[in-house]
Each structure stands twice: as C-alpha cells, then as structure tokens.
Amino acid sequence: MSFYHEHDKFHVAVDAIIFGFDEGERELKLLLLKRKFEPAKGEWSLMGGFAKESESLDDAAKRILHQLTGLDDVYMEQLYTFGEINRDPGNRIISVAYFSLIKIKESDLELVKEHGASWVPISAMPPLIFDHNEMVAKALKKLQIRARTQPIGFELLPEKFTIPQLQSLYEAIYGKGLDKRNFRRKLLAMGLLEKLDEKEKETSKKGAYFYRFDQDKYNDLIKNGFNFEL
Amino acid sequence: MSFYHEHDKFHVAVDAIIFGFDEGERELKLLLLKRKFEPAKGEWSLMGGFAKESESLDDAAKRILHQLTGLDDVYMEQLYTFGEINRDPGNRIISVAYFSLIKIKESDLELVKEHGASWVPISAMPPLIFDHNEMVAKALKKLQIRARTQPIGFELLPEKFTIPQLQSLYEAIYGKGLDKRNFRRKLLAMGLLEKLDEKEKETSKKGAYFYRFDQDKYNDLIKNGFNFEL
DNA sequence: CCAAAAGTGTTCATCGTACACCCATGT
DNA sequence: ACATGGGTGTACGATGAACACTTTTGG
C-alpha cells in the first residue's frame, strides 16, 4: 500500500522550549539540561527526543514535556521546523521545535533533577548546542507576539496572583519596564480579572490583592476577536 | 558516527502554498494542481514533493517551487509542519508547508500547464486532498498577519503598479473593502513609493499613475522597526 | 518614624475612521 | 453628454504615553 518507498527517510526530533516565571525573582526562565549522552555530552541543551511512528508530532511534544516535568495539559505551540543539513553535526536530523508555558511550582522537581535540568534566567542564557540558541531566540520572539494578542501571561502564573506580579512577568517578556498605572488600567478594563479578598504579604508590608483569571469571560471575548495589548 | 540508528525514520514532504494576484480580475489566487498519480489521482492538491537527504528543507521548498513555476528568489516562508499520523491516508508522512508570493506574469506558463496546474481564486477554493485545505487556511491567516507588518504586497505585483491595484490586493487579502482616501494617505506617508510619469490606462479612462516600490527606503525603515498597518 | 511597595487620575498628542465631491477622458 | 474609475481634505473620537503623590504597615 505504500507508494513512496523510493524516497529518503529522516530522523525527526522534537525539541521543547519550556518557559516558566519565577515570581520571587521576577525573572523569566527556561528549563535547560546538561546532556548526559553523546554527541555534545556535558553541554547545555533544550529537552528533546525523537518522534515515533506511532504518535503525531503534537503527541511527541507532549510526551517529551511530560517526561521532564510530569505535566500534561499545558500551553504548547509548534514554533518552527529546523531542517538545515548540518544542524546536528554528523547526523541528518530534522527538528520540530515546540514551546510551552508552565507554572514552575507545578513541575515535578524530582523528575527535573533526575534529568539534570535547571531553570535558567533568559537574561543569563548560556551557549547551547547546535542551533538551540536560535530556537530560543525564535521562541522568545513568538512569545512576545503572543503576549500581545492572547492573555498567555496567565499560563505562567499560579491561579492566584497579584497585579504587580503580572506586571513583572510582562516586563520580563518584553524586556522593558511598564508604567504601573497604565498597566493596571488597561488590564482591568478588559474585565478578565476577579479580585479576591486575600492579600499577598510576602513581598511588601502593605500587601497586594490577589486576583484570579476568569476563563469564561475570556472565552466570550475571543469570539469577537479582541486585542490584548499591554 | 551515527548515534541514532535505533529510532524511527519518516518520509518528509514539502508542500507549497503559492499565492498570486490577478490585477485584472482583482483577485487573490492560489496555484493548485490536479494530481496525476495515486493516491487521490485526479483531485485538487497543493504542489508538493519529498525532501532529500542532500538538501535542507528550505532548499527543498525552493526546488519544488522552481519545478512548478521556473522561479527563483521569491518571497517564501515556512508556515507549519503537519504531523498527524493519518493525514495522508495509509502512509505516515510529515509535511512541512511553505508559502510563497509570486508575480503571476513572471511564472513559466509552459511549466505550469505541464503539471496540470491552474490559478484558482481563493474566493472559490475547491476541496483539496488530505489536510491541504487546512494548510491554505493557515497560510491565508499568516499572509494577513504579514501584510500588517511587512510590505509584502509588493511581492505580488509587477514592478510598476497603481495605487488602486495595490488597494484591491489588500482588499483581497483582508477580504473587505478599504477607504481609498485613508489607504492612499497612510501608504504615501510611509515614503516607500516612487511616483512615475506613466499612467495605466486599461482599466479607466482617466488613467492611474504608476508607482514603484523603493527597496532602499524600505531597508532603512525596518532597521528601526516600523509598522505597516493599512 | 521610616522604608518599601501598592494603589490611584489627568492631560496631551497621535492615530484611525468616517465621510462626499470634483476630475479626466474614452465612447 | 455621460459613464467610469481616479484623485483629494477635514472633523471627531479613541487610544497610547507621560507623569507624582498618597496609603499601608512591618520593622
């Protein structure tokens, strides 16, 4: 039943760019690992793995993310497919890159440790193997674009968060400071946040109110296509 | 030297979504072909082909575009990689889709005819094989996004074009009418167009001035990152 | 009482949008 | 003369950007 047997076949890898946000340090971070096998053993790289005949590419990406973090059902998006001949020296490998946004605190720290992975601030990215730095650069760019059109910030924060926390997240994504009055006004004007009675008191004496993201109101809005610029 | 021999290998296809603009009919069109081979012989599909061990994915895409149109050096961008297990019934094929913008009049009509291909208005898209309709939908969406941030409209028009022609192109891309005064004002304000002394007199008695795109001025602008919303 | 972060309004410039009439010319 | 598409200016509302002081409370 196969009509295509005469054509070349390729190893297809899936690489995962995993973003997390550290509310305490107010930094955007990436989950990176030190390779435990050849080639390039001992160097920093993204988490990756090979696609299997029995799964779709999306499923492969989910599997690989799960292997490292124990998480399912997280924000994940295909980024780009890297197909230069010598991107992996000595081997022809086509790599489909996916990026995900996860809540650091929900990830399985045991698993992460087992793989020799760590959360590294994007402001201090080490050199990575192959074309992985290029992948990260592309992912960051796409994250910035997404952040303007979808409320993805909420994927990176715990269920309850404060407005100053959310603001530092956006500042980390855009790599620049934002005016807190303008930020708060635009954000609340969208009507997506529910204010709670509880305060977060660890980072300031006064304390900042917690808010919660209202998924239902958001679903209403996207149908009309709205814009989420902050 | 190969460390990965134990993993699955895949057939990797490259599919080309080729946009063109018909200034006469004022319609955005796609270059589609009737398949001459199994499976799905006789049905409409995108142009495609298999990636080879000896070329990068980008080069494969260029090769495939060249086969059908005779063109090189055109606007081309990777769109998305489709990796569902059964997207090509009975065969596991991963397909990397690219979209290109070309000037219809520059394409080699002989080659196009040989492949049994035709220019079909996107307003009258036939059903395509496999997931090709999905590919087209995604390409169109990306084209709309690109059109807002880069002056890609010029890739689809001949070197000399009139402002009404350019406006109908954007109307075709966005699928809605635009105000001609606002369009003209914004466009000229960018300072990217050079007015010529010649007029296009086929579509109207009065005639519309030809303009030319100034690539140098454009290169200056992108360095500062400007916005091209029309 | 003081340090440190949270919270709050107004003004101004810019930009997008809506809108209607005259022009040039081939038939 | 008339039909057809080309070309032009203005007014209004909305939106983004800049900016400084008061509040709360733990130490």
Side-chain angles (χ1 to χ4, degrees), chain A residues 2 4 7-11 39 50-57 78 80-81 83 85 88 91-93, chain B residues 2 4 7-11 39 50-57 78 80-81 83 85 88 91-93:
Chain A
S2 186
Y4 304 135
H7 297 288
D8 295 337
K9 296 184 92 171
F10 298 83
H11 281 122
F50 285 93
K52 297 179 180 173
E53 186 80 29
S54 57
E55 66 189 358
S56 69
L57 287 175
Q78 189 189 300
Y80 196 77
T81 299
I85 296 183
D88 186 330
N91 297 282
R92 179 62 196 276
I93 301 193
Chain B
S2 186
Y4 305 132
H7 297 288
D8 295 337
K9 296 185 94 174
F10 299 83
H11 281 123
F50 285 93
K52 297 179 181 174
E53 186 80 29
S54 58
E55 65 189 358
S56 69
L57 287 176
Q78 189 189 301
Y80 195 78
T81 299
I85 296 183
D88 186 330
N91 297 282
R92 179 64 195 276
I93 302 193

Side-chain angles (χ1 to χ4, degrees), chain A residues 147 151 153-154 157 161-167 170 179-194 211 213 221 226 228-230:
Chain A
F154 306 107
L157 286 171
F161 53 85
T162 68
I163 291 182
Q165 279 173 357
L166 189 59
Q167 181 174 346
Y170 275 84
D179 182 286
K180 61 178 175 172
R181 284 164 291 192
N182 294 338
F183 183 86
R184 185 180 289 261
R185 176 162 11 94
K186 281 195 220 171
L187 190 67
L188 293 175
M190 294 173 191
L192 293 174
L193 295 191
E194 185 186 349
Y211 286 78
F213 178 54
L221 282 180
F226 81 118
F228 190 79
E229 199 128 349
L230 292 170

Side-chain angles (χ1 to χ4, degrees), chain B residues 37-55:
Chain B
F37 49 90
E38 293 295 348
K41 186 173 171 179
E43 293 180 42
W44 287 102
S45 83
L46 295 169
M47 177 70 179
F50 285 93
K52 297 179 181 174
E53 186 80 29
S54 58
E55 65 189 358

